[in-house]
Amino acid sequence: MTRDLDQTFAALADPTRRAILTILLEDDMAVTDVAEPFAMSLAAISKHLGVLTAAGLISQEKRGRVKWCKLEPDALRAASVWMQGFGQFEPVNLDAFERFLATELPEESA
């Protein structure tokens, strides 16, 4: 699972790849349509798509002469579960903690 999480977070670390995932939220798209909004070569977009595919975040299939990209909706489940583990703790209210310490600990004599 650690290797999968590493690949997922490495893929998500790049803003272009996050933008591609956002685009694919709407529908499956041809690689050329995915590449259209970006000011980079088709080869560069293909490399980004390869990283997303290797991480399991998207799948690609050839339909005729056109390669299509599809978002894999369950691909982020493990990363989401891992991140939710950090949300189990309540944020510390430092003012309340300071008041608690003031009432519980005797003041030191100077």
Side-chain angles (χ1 to χ4, degrees):
M1 182 168 138
T2 301
R3 183 176 173 276
D4 293 341
L5 281 176
D6 290 348
Q7 279 191 303
T8 298
F9 286 117
L12 295 173
D14 185 274
T16 300
R17 292 193 284 267
R18 291 192 306 271
I20 290 170
L21 291 175
T22 301
I23 290 169
L24 290 174
L25 274 171
E26 295 188 26
D27 201 4
D28 300 358
M29 296 180 83
V31 170
T32 53
D33 293 332
V34 172
E36 190 176 306
F38 299 98
M40 60 180 68
S41 69
L42 190 56
I45 289 295
S46 291
K47 286 184 181 183
H48 284 296
L49 293 173
V51 172
L52 292 169
T53 302
L57 298 174
I58 67 167
S59 59
Q60 296 184 62
E61 71 172 309
K62 201 157 188 174
R63 299 179 196 164
R65 290 191 222 172
V66 179
K67 190 178 262 191
W68 286 78
C69 301
K70 175 185 175 188
L71 187 67
E72 292 299 329
D74 292 332
L76 289 173
R77 185 178 314 267
S80 177
V81 167
W82 183 81
M83 288 186 295
Q84 286 175 2
F86 292 96
Q88 68 186 352
F89 304 105
E90 292 293 323
V92 176
N93 182 331
L94 294 177
D95 291 331
F97 185 61
E98 186 176 354
R99 286 191 301 274
F100 168 78
L101 290 176
T103 60
E104 293 297 317
L105 298 176
E107 289 189 32
E108 293 181 24
S109 308

